[in-house]
């Protein structure tokens, strides 16, 4: 299953480089062992492995880890829409957990629903990978505001 959404245009390589550099500075994502699985215009996918400190004692991903991954992917999906260096702050966040997240890898796929001059809305769907099959474990809706620098 492809990580990238179907789009009609390519992401500017400078935007991709900027996002990769920024992601490399994200201490929480480093701590999680997160990697970028895909970047495209209005899209970002991030994955984390099931490391002991990210899991509940039952072996499932902690809900806080799932939420942080959703929020991070959503913020980066929003930044793909801008050629200049911008950042976003989450002003509203809703998540629905659909099933236990236990597997080989947790993947967040964020897609911009509506990009605006100030406010951007992103949906992040989260999947667990097992035996090359993805099962959705959560979905979130995130409202972001472009931050002043």
């Amino acid at each position: 299953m492809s990580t990238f959404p179907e789009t009609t245009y390519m992401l500017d390589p400078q935007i991709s480089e900027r996002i990769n550099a920024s992601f490399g500075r994200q201490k929480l994502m480093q701590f999680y062992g997160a990697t970028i699985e895909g970047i495209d215009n209005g899209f970002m996918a991030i994955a984390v492995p099931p490391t002991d400190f990210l899991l509940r004692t039952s072996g499932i991903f902690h809900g806080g880890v799932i939420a942080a991954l959703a929020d991070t992917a959503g913020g980066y999906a929003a930044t793909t829409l801008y050629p200049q260096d911008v950042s976003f702050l989450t002003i509203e966040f809703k998540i629905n957990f659909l099933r236990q997240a236990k597997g080989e890898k947790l993947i967040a796929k964020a897609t911009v629903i509506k990009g605006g001059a100030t406010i951007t809305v992103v949906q992040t769907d989260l999947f667990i990978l097992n035996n090359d099959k993805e099962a959705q474990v959560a979905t979130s809706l995130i409202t972001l505001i472009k931050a002043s620098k």
Side-chain angles (χ1 to χ4, degrees), residues 59-112:
I60 65 172
F61 277 93
H62 189 282
V65 172
I66 296 169
L69 199 62
D71 189 42
T72 301
Y76 278 114
T79 65
T80 66
L81 302 180
Y82 293 87
Q84 70 277 18
D85 188 15
V86 297
S87 62
F88 286 86
L89 300 172
T90 300
I91 57 174
E92 186 175 31
F93 181 91
K94 178 183 184 336
I95 189 164
N96 288 347
F97 297 100
L98 307 173
R99 65 174 47 92
Q100 292 184 359
K102 186 173 186 176
E104 301 162 11
K105 187 187 324 187
L106 177 65
I107 306 166
K109 298 180 183 182
T111 305
V112 173

Side-chain angles (χ1 to χ4, degrees), residues 11 33 39 46 58 75 77 80 82 87 109 116-117 120 126 128 140 143:
L11 181 65
I39 305 173
I46 302 172
S58 59
T80 66
Y82 293 87
S87 62
K109 298 180 183 182
T120 297
L126 296 107
I128 199 74
S140 67
T143 305

Side-chain angles (χ1 to χ4, degrees), residues 1-110:
M1 176 178 273
S2 174
T3 303
F4 291 96
E6 292 182 27
T7 58
T8 56
Y9 38 89
M10 298 292 292
L11 181 65
D12 182 322
Q14 290 181 331
I15 295 172
S16 181
E17 288 172 19
R18 176 174 42 83
I19 291 170
N20 275 290
S22 174
F23 188 81
R25 295 187 301 271
Q26 290 288 326
K27 299 295 184 197
L28 183 63
M29 292 297 106
Q30 288 176 12
F31 181 71
Y32 282 5
T35 55
I36 295 174
E37 294 278 307
I39 305 173
D40 206 341
N41 195 34
F43 177 82
M44 179 75 165
I46 302 172
V48 295
T51 310
D52 285 345
F53 56 84
L54 301 179
L55 305 176
R56 296 171 43 105
T57 55
S58 59
I60 65 172
F61 277 93
H62 189 282
V65 172
I66 296 169
L69 199 62
D71 189 42
T72 301
Y76 278 114
T79 65
T80 66
L81 302 180
Y82 293 87
Q84 70 277 18
D85 188 15
V86 297
S87 62
F88 286 86
L89 300 172
T90 300
I91 57 174
E92 186 175 31
F93 181 91
K94 178 183 184 336
I95 189 164
N96 288 347
F97 297 100
L98 307 173
R99 65 174 47 92
Q100 292 184 359
K102 186 173 186 176
E104 301 162 11
K105 187 187 324 187
L106 177 65
I107 306 166
K109 298 180 183 182

Side-chain angles (χ1 to χ4, degrees), residues 122-141:
V122 178
Q123 179 175 335
T124 304
D125 293 314
L126 296 107
F127 303 86
I128 199 74
L129 182 68
N130 280 310
N131 299 320
D132 292 327
K133 293 182 182 176
E134 291 181 351
Q136 190 169 8
V137 296
T139 188
S140 67
L141 190 62

